């Protein structure tokens, strides 16, 4: 396998509604990523598109629809899709194109336009449930988070205050992010705890709401990076992904075993034997505040039940020992599902190359891990990147 | 890059811009309809529900009693072996008190919903369902519950043949 580096990244604003079409958003993000790497579309050997359920955009087979905006026209082009996991999986798909030697340069473009779906994208989220076992109960997607969060809180005796701290940290971290939809420098734990109860224990400020947005990264082989004398690069040193059974009512939801399996795969490739010591910062998937804690434990960066303690002690703050979601995450920047690659892979690149501006972690960092999660509480994918 | 870029692409719209037609737009309402054949395992499962019973499948390789029932074991990757009735009692594994309906609209009287692991199936195996005859202040993880069935003439072979799970009464099995 060849060594693969991220050499450019770009993203649009994340907003509840953007005027641009999905194709236009893809073009903006892809062009920015190529410009930042100093490349043109002619340098690109393969294009990967990541985008979540077709029903949001209202265009079936939207990989093909978005093609031109992604720069994939007349090139090897593939759409990958694993629900929320797409935000990291598409970069892994880019990695395997380059690592295998099939491509020297791969462009990965992720998009989500959730505002098109009326009155609220929640209505089409209902279609992910099993038609026989679940759908007659008229489920709402927030239920799965509520049920998982409640189980996690119950098993470890976690208090809601400790979970709310994650939302506060990430919405404050997002203040330095130029694309952020939900940055709030003044938010407090009480604001979260006093926000509207949606599906207890989930309250309004525990959730990242729907967004429109796109993001892109450029991947290249080590040879290409040397030949073109590209200075700003961060190596993708480990990748892993794993999915659990569709029978989600058959497993204990308090721990995401599938994330742990994906993490172990990625750590093995990255030669990481002690993740807590060898990883300097993390961008776990945080569509809900408890998910950051759940995923830190799945990523083996905290023991089971320990992530709320690390958060309370400030370890996961940007200037802490293990900064978590220095980008502001989905809670702070926004949640256009697949396009969250901008905070997950994009942020690792920007942090590791010293380009994160106001969000730059104040101490030196060499290795970061990002993770996304998706499908019906099933899917974990993990990328380790190193300076 | 984020430190070097001054203008980030994207033009924000308000809800009014879109819904009141202030921006050029186009609309479409899909009219898709589906009918699913329930398949081998679920057909039997639904027939048994209509009779007021819960049924599982056993796998002789991993010795699990699989619920919801399936014709193949995803772990051993072989056909499952036999049908086995399980009980309509169980334990609340987790729950939510939902003030949202299916379309994220707010509702006043919350829905109690969660996962119940069922007695007679392998540990932690169960189903999602509603809870009733308890208040939002009474429901708790670990509570013992029993299915409240619709009267036989109202059942139609659906998970809704169980109205909800209610607290198990003292001495009841």
């Amino acid at each position: 396998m060849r060594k693969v580096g991220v050499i450019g990244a770009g993203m649009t604003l994340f907003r509840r509604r953007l005027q641009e079409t999905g194709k236009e958003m893809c073009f903006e993000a892809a062009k920015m990523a190529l410009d930042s790497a100093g490349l043109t579309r002619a340098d690109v050997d393969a294009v990967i598109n990541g985008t979540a359920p077709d029903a949001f955009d209202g265009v079936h087979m939207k990989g093909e629809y978005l093609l031109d905006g992604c720069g994939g026209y007349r090139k090897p082009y593939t759409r990958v899709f694993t629900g929320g996991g797409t935000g990291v999986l598409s970069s892994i798909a880019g990695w395997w194109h380059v690592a295998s030697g099939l491509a020297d340069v791969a462009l990965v473009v992720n998009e989500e336009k959730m505002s098109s779906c009326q009155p609220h994208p929640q209505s089409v989220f209902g279609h992910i449930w099993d038609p026989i076992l679940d759908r007659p109960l008229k489920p709402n997607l927030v239920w799965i988070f509520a049920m998982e969060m409640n189980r996690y809180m119950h098993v470890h005796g976690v208090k809601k205050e400790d979970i709310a701290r994650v939302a506060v940290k990430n919405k404050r971290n997002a203040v330095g992010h130029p694309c952020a939809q939900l940055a709030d420098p003044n938010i407090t734990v009480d604001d979260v705890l006093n926000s509207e109860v949606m599906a207890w224990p989930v309250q309004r400020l525990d959730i990242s709401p729907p967004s429109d947005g796109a993001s892109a990264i450029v991947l290249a082989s080590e040879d290409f990076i040397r030949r073109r004398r590209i200075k700003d690069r961060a190596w993708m040193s480990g990748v892993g992904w794993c999915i659990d059974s569709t029978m989600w009512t058959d497993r204990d939801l308090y721990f995401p075993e599938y994330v742990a399996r994906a993490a172990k795969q990625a750590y093995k490739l990255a030669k990481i034997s002690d993740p807590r010591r060898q990883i300097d910062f993390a961008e776990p998937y945080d569509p809900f505040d408890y998910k950051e804690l759940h995923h830190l434990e799945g990523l083996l960066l905290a023991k089971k039940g320990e992530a709320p303690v690390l958060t309370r002690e400030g370890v996961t703050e940007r200037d802490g020992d293990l900064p978590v979601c220095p980008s502001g995450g989905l809670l702070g920047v926004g949640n256009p599902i697949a396009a969250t690659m901008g905070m997950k892979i994009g942020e690792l690149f920007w942090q590791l190359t010293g380009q994160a501006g106001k969000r730059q972690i104040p101490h030196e960092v060499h290795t970061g891990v990002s993770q996304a999660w998706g499908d019906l509480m099933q899917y974990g994918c993990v990328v380790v990147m190193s300076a | 890059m984020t430190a070097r870029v001054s203008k980030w692409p994207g033009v924000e719209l308000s809800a009014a811009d879109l819904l009141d037609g202030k921006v050029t737009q186009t609309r479409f309402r899909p009219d898709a309809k589906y009918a699913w054949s329930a398949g081998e395992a679920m057909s039997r499962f639904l027939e048994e529900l209509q009779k007021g019973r819960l049924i599982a499948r056993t796998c002789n390789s991993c010795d699990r009693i699989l619920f919801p029932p399936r014709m193949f074991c995803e772990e051993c990757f072989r056909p499952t072996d036999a049908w086995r009735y399980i009980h309509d009692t169980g334990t609340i594994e987790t729950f939510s008190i939902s003030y949202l309906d299916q379309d994220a609209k707010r509702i006043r009287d919350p829905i109690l919903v969660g996962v119940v692991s069922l007695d007679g199936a392998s540990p932690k195996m169960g189903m999602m369902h509603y809870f009733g005859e308890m208040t939002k202040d009474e429901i708790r993880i670990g509570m013992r519950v029993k299915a409240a069935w619709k009267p036989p003439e109202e059942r139609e072979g659906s998970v809704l043949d169980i109205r909800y799970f209610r607290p198990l009464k003292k001495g009841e099995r």
Side-chain angles (χ1 to χ4, degrees), chain A residues 137 140 147 196 249-250 355, chain B residues 1 67 94 101 106 126 130:
Chain A
L137 298 166
N140 179 295
M147 292 187 282
E196 181 194 4
T249 57
D250 286 358
Q355 301 181 64
Chain B
M1 179 73 179
F67 184 90
T94 187
D101 77 356
R106 308 306 193 261
Y130 302 130

Side-chain angles (χ1 to χ4, degrees), chain A residues 9-13 15-20 28-29 32 36 115 118 120 122-123 126 129 131-140 142-143 146-148 150-151 154 177-179 196-201 204 232 245 247-253 349-350 353 355-357 359, chain B residues 1-5 7-16 18-19 23 27-28 36-39 42 45-46 66-70 74 92-106 111 113-116 123-130 141-142 158-160:
Chain A
M11 63 193 282
T12 65
L13 299 179
R15 292 292 183 269
R16 178 68 182 85
R17 291 167 202 81
L18 287 179
Q19 185 182 17
E20 288 80 357
E28 295 288 355
M32 185 188 288
S36 83
S115 65
Q118 305 298 325
H120 193 280
Q122 190 61 241
S123 313
W129 299 87
I132 294 168
L133 290 165
D134 301 331
R135 266 193 240 187
L137 298 166
K138 297 188 166 41
N140 179 295
V142 180
W143 290 5
M147 292 187 282
E148 195 179 62
N150 197 6
R151 185 74 198 164
H154 173 80
H177 202 299
C179 300
E196 181 194 4
V197 177
M198 317 274 284
W200 194 90
R204 184 169 194 80
D232 291 323
S245 161
M247 298 285 185
W248 65 275
T249 57
D250 286 358
R251 60 175 167 266
D252 196 325
L253 301 173
F349 169 70
W350 286 318
T353 54
Q355 301 181 64
R359 304 185 314 286
Chain B
M1 179 73 179
T2 62
R4 293 176 208 162
V5 173
K7 191 189 174 301
W8 294 77
V11 177
E12 186 173 9
L13 299 179
S14 69
L18 201 63
L19 301 178
V23 291
R27 289 176 177 240
F28 174 71
W36 289 279
S37 94
M42 282 295 112
F45 169 72
L46 295 175
L66 300 161
F67 184 90
R70 47 264 207 186
E74 71 281 1
I92 299 180
E93 292 291 325
T94 187
F95 67 88
S96 173
I97 302 163
S98 180
Y99 293 88
L100 296 179
D101 77 356
Q102 193 169 24
D103 298 321
K105 284 201 209 79
R106 308 306 193 261
I111 301 165
V113 64
V115 177
V116 52
K124 301 286 174 198
M125 290 199 155
M127 67 192 301
M128 178 167 73
H129 219 296
Y130 302 130
I141 291 175
S158 155
V159 291
L160 298 178

Side-chain angles (χ1 to χ4, degrees), chain B residues 68-109:
Chain B
R70 47 264 207 186
M71 300 316 291
F72 60 90
C73 174
E74 71 281 1
E75 177 69 34
C76 308
F77 216 59
R78 59 184 287 283
T80 48
D81 296 286
W83 294 100
R84 166 100 51 108
Y85 290 110
I86 60 165
H87 304 289
D88 69 348
T89 53
T91 306
I92 299 180
E93 292 291 325
T94 187
F95 67 88
S96 173
I97 302 163
S98 180
Y99 293 88
L100 296 179
D101 77 356
Q102 193 169 24
D103 298 321
K105 284 201 209 79
R106 308 306 193 261
I107 46 178
R108 207 186 56 184
D109 298 322

Side-chain angles (χ1 to χ4, degrees), chain A residues 32-51:
Chain A
M32 185 188 288
L34 286 171
D35 287 350
S36 83
L39 305 188
T40 67
R41 203 179 80 90
D43 295 309
V44 175
D45 299 316
V47 178
I48 295 91
N49 166 242
T51 188

